[in-house]
Amino acid sequence: MHKYQISKMRNIVAGNWKSNKSINEAREWMSVMGEAMDSMPNDVRVIIAPPAPYLSELAGSDRNGILIAAQQVSAFSDGAYTGEFTANMLVSCGVDFALVGHSERRADFNESDEIVAKKVRRCIDAGLGVMLCCGENLASRDEGSQETVIKEQLISALEGVSSEEMTGVVVAYEPIWAIGTGRTASADQAAEMHRFIRHYLADRFDADTASKTSILYGGSCKPSNADELFTCSDVDGGLIGGASLDTADFQLIIKSDSSY
Ligand code: PEP
């Protein structure tokens, strides 16, 4: 018997465009998806993370319930940090969430666990939702240390975070070896890691907090595998990269996440 109530979980499908699409393509995507939202299941929350230059416009557009996420956020507060954009700025633009700790940011932009933790704190203090990404690399998976890696990432990222503050945090489990590779974690692998994360949250906070925290799977999720992944008991939805670029694929994935 789990310590948490599965029925209280919140289904979320979030898209991450990464550095793709022109502003016109972004507008077109939002217009098509905004209309399609009327026929999407109402138990799935939809989030999209466009490139930063488009955030303000898309957040202010007619988005029919689609939430907007930044793909990253500064670890600093407002001030003399050329090129950075802060959690406060994102909130002032109507942005709802920020992705924090995505493996591409960790690997390509040297974002350490310490920086990730600072970003989590900045977002929480600004009232910006956090989509906290964690995931092991192939070497860790091959040596069987994936749980240790994820636990260390979560301990560090959530240091000082209270259970009340967790209401603004979504966790995305994204095995690095599955991101953009076409290689997806099996349903068993995803279920095992999501169960592990849920239990960790129950130990770290409490059963109620663990039950209310959405835990998303990310890594080559697409219409053909979304059903199988989302039916795993602790998988509340997905963080979708490549397949979020296409509105038809994205809609199919959203439908796969419905509990109805
Ligand atoms: C991601 O970037 O978070 C991701 C899951 O990408 P993809 O779906 O393309 O593997």
Side-chain angles (χ1 to χ4, degrees), residues 1-125:
M1 178 74 173
H2 289 176
K3 288 192 238 170
Y4 45 85
Q5 302 286 313
I6 286 168
S7 59
K8 284 194 200 149
M9 286 176 195
R10 189 90 200 233
N11 298 348
I12 296 176
V13 171
N16 173 16
W17 289 345
K18 312 190 185 190
S19 297
N20 290 296
K21 290 195 187 291
S22 66
I23 182 65
N24 282 340
E25 289 165 342
R27 286 178 185 134
E28 172 67 14
W29 187 101
M30 187 56 86
S31 151
V32 171
M33 270 309 298
E35 261 184 50
M37 285 300 284
D38 290 337
S39 57
M40 289 298 106
N42 61 15
D43 63 332
V44 183
R45 186 195 290 207
V46 177
I47 305 175
I48 193 67
Y54 315 153
L55 285 169
S56 187
E57 178 177 326
L58 294 186
S61 70
D62 186 9
R63 49 190 164 110
N64 205 5
I66 298 172
L67 300 184
I68 302 290
Q71 295 174 18
Q72 75 116 353
V73 58
S74 181
F76 298 100
S77 58
D78 301 5
Y81 304 104
T82 303
E84 289 287 272
F85 53 89
T86 66
N88 287 333
M89 292 174 191
L90 291 170
V91 170
S92 75
C93 290
V95 173
D96 306 290
F97 274 89
L99 270 58
V100 178
H102 191 283
S103 59
E104 287 158 13
R105 300 291 314 172
R106 292 181 192 256
D108 301 334
F109 302 93
N110 300 320
E111 289 193 3
S112 61
D113 281 344
E114 196 188 354
I115 291 174
V116 169
K118 282 187 182 158
K119 291 184 175 202
V120 169
R121 177 44 58 198
R122 291 285 175 213
C123 291
I124 289 174
D125 287 350

Side-chain angles (χ1 to χ4, degrees), residues 112-197:
S112 61
D113 281 344
E114 196 188 354
I115 291 174
V116 169
K118 282 187 182 158
K119 291 184 175 202
V120 169
R121 177 44 58 198
R122 291 285 175 213
C123 291
I124 289 174
D125 287 350
L128 184 65
V130 177
M131 192 165 298
L132 174 62
C133 305
C134 57
E136 80 283 359
N137 62 23
L138 191 55
S140 303
R141 169 59 64 168
D142 285 345
E143 68 181 29
S145 60
Q146 60 272 16
E147 292 186 354
T148 310
V149 171
I150 298 307
K151 188 168 175 183
E152 278 170 6
Q153 289 177 353
L154 292 177
I155 288 174
S156 171
L158 297 175
E159 198 187 334
V161 174
S162 69
S163 29
E164 291 73 39
E165 289 171 335
M166 279 301 286
T167 54
V169 177
V170 169
V171 176
Y173 168 63
E174 301 204 295
I176 297 169
W177 45 271
I179 295 182
T181 59
R183 183 177 163 189
T184 317
S186 69
D188 283 350
Q189 287 172 322
E192 195 176 50
M193 292 308 291
H194 281 238
R195 191 178 316 119
F196 174 78
I197 293 169

